[in-house]
Amino acid sequence: MIHSGAVVGAGLPQFQSISFQKIRFDFPYFRSDRDKRDFVSAGAAAGVAAAFGAPIGGTLFSLEEGSSFWNQGLTWKVLFCSMSATFTLNFFRSGILFSSWGSFQVPGLLNFGEFKCTDSDKKCHLWTVLDLAFFIIMGVCGGLLGATFNCLNKRLAKYRMKNVHPKPKLIRVCESLLVSLVTTVIVFVSSMVLGECRPLSPTNDWNNSTVTMQVSSSDEVNSSIKTFFCPNNTYNDMATLFFNPQESAILQLFHQDGTFSPVTLSFFCCMYFLLSCWTFGMSVPSGLFVPSLLCGAAFGRLVANVLKSYLGLTHIYSGTYALIGAAAFLGGVVRMTISLTVILIESTNEISYGLPIMITLMVAKWTGDFFNKGIYDIHVALRGVPLLEWETEEETEKLRACDIMEPNLTYVYPHTRIQSLVSILRTTAHHAFPVVTENRGNEKEFMKGNQLISNNIKFKKSSILTRAGEQRKRSQSMKSYPSSELRNMCDEHLAAEEPVEKEDMLQQMLERKYTPYPNLYPDQSPSEEWTMEERFRPLTFHGLVLRSQLVTLLVRGVCYTETQSSASQPRLSHAEMSEDYPRYPDIHDVNLTLLNPRMIVDVTPYMNPSPFTVSPNTHVSQVFNLFRTMGLRHLPVVNAVGEIVGIITRHNLTHEFLQARLRQHYMTS
């Protein structure tokens, strides 16, 4: 349900489909990566809300586990989406199951029923303060079981990635068939050999007569009881757990008393633990929440049976221990606290369980975190998805932006030949490229006889003059704004300004001598054969242009010849640039035979001229907070004189990358 909700959230707002390409709507909204991320977060929350009937829990799940970027406005939108999903499902299920349209009787696909003691048992309480000690111990056990589950599943996932996924798809089908065969054999053999035939009580000791599954008559109760080769008026306790749907088995563990032997619960818990670990990660749409809840519920009922039988604690409520066991095991596997607490409270409709569930989940998380990460974080790391943490560790305060940035840049010029753009796009996988110009001391000589270089230098000069004008407006004295680029234009533009004395301090600050660089023209793409001097020469930063924008410009033939002015280049509107979102053409599939590789593309009208930038000396914590808060994908590192020295992406801010750079920092310091 989480995956399905995320898929719907990612695809529905686009009003486009690969399967139905002829059906197209002119819907220009929500056509950006930020909007798509928000819809995916809302879709995942709606899936949780529909599954458990927990709209608030779904919202918190998306906040805690399903999003890298979050803001206050998104909270209300996701909550509204979750609430709509819950009540839409409730409306249709209530009408279909009970022909009571508009009554809203079934809040979710999975509901745990009402927990309450029987009226005849006056000493029974759902839980007491003394039970908290046992809940804490169960939380520790749940954390240990969850850590073991995650460790085994991680090893299994690595084996699948190495030996199963690279092979033909038939191997994946065979693996699924093998798991199904083994599961079936275990279920049948264990029910026949280890299952106990227990007497069928007339009332079945159900503590709740109005469970959401609507088990209100003895016939419906007996329908979930499996005899499985047992005599009349008896039932097989092992088969009752194995041969029922998981939701029905969970309800029985929560609300039936004294119907499962310790041997049955122990074997069922162990087998379900191993089978769930083996199944999760296969090429089938299998879940994790419900199997973990069922395994943990069996563990909780086992603890309750032991306390009742061997310690004489007859006052305890077995359903509470089953619920706490389910929370402990699921919390030890997924390591969620806030969202899982609210989901379980909303599913049980019992607010008094808030404290024991929260304590159990916290203990399970702390215990499991001592050994490894949660199952979601493990699989995210195995697939190489750079999902950011909520905050950085204190140790990373020793790192600066220059320590984690990527200094080896692949860039484009404001005016670049088509052959250069195609070479860059086909030899790299970057999603954005800095738009730069070089700083040279003999620019007049380079401008002679080359229109391309002349256009680039003119663009740089106009950009720098604009910046210089803004600086003069902010301060009459330019001494606090020493820009090295201004030195290249002193000969042409300082004459129009006020006379400056030769011994002026500003002139001394602006004196920057450039060593002669190789004669590399902008129509030459960055090459691996470049020397260090060629690769890291000063580059004035002007903006960022996306890969999708460059591909769109090439596909639509937006360019001009060297004999023409850049003003003759065709202009595309924003709607035309985003028409193919989110499936832009691949540069390897584009037919560029009709384009002259010597033609020039002016990217300046389509680049972002003012992206977020940081200084090389910015602390990593500040970089991380800016990146995560603003939902960035690329963060250029620009020095005090406007030259780009590196770029930061999500990969540079992951926990593993920061730890590696921190180790390098300790080794060199």
Side-chain angles (χ1 to χ4, degrees), residues 237-299:
D237 58 350
M238 185 76 74
T240 300
L241 291 178
F242 269 126
F243 283 94
N244 267 318
Q246 295 178 346
E247 294 80 0
S248 300
I250 290 175
L251 284 173
Q252 290 175 357
L253 291 170
F254 282 173
H255 299 290
Q256 285 195 33
D257 192 18
T259 56
F260 304 102
S261 67
V263 175
T264 297
L265 292 173
S266 301
F267 183 82
F268 177 81
C269 183
C270 294
M271 285 296 100
Y272 221 84
F273 176 91
L274 297 176
L275 292 176
S276 299
C277 184
W278 190 12
T279 304
F280 184 73
M282 285 197 314
S283 301
V284 295
S286 59
L288 179 67
F289 262 67
V290 178
S292 299
L293 288 173
L294 180 54
C295 184
F299 165 70

Side-chain angles (χ1 to χ4, degrees), residues 10 69 73 90 111 203 212 244 328 332 355 403 495 502 531 566 604 630:
F69 310 108
N90 199 339
N111 193 276
T203 58
T212 305
N244 267 318
L355 179 62
D403 297 324
K502 294 183 179 180
T531 63
S566 60
T604 56
M630 303 308 300

Side-chain angles (χ1 to χ4, degrees), residues 29 194 269 419 531 642:
Y29 307 103
L194 299 177
C269 183
Q419 64 180 11
T531 63

Side-chain angles (χ1 to χ4, degrees), residues 88-104:
T88 301
L89 175 67
N90 199 339
F91 175 79
F92 283 100
R93 290 203 73 195
S94 300
I96 294 173
L97 295 178
F98 309 112
S99 300
S100 179
W101 296 94
S103 60
F104 299 101

Side-chain angles (χ1 to χ4, degrees), residues 619-636:
H619 287 283
V620 166
S621 59
Q622 295 175 284
V623 175
F624 187 90
N625 292 334
L626 175 64
F627 204 96
R628 205 183 198 290
T629 304
M630 303 308 300
L632 305 179
R633 296 187 64 178
H634 313 90
L635 186 61

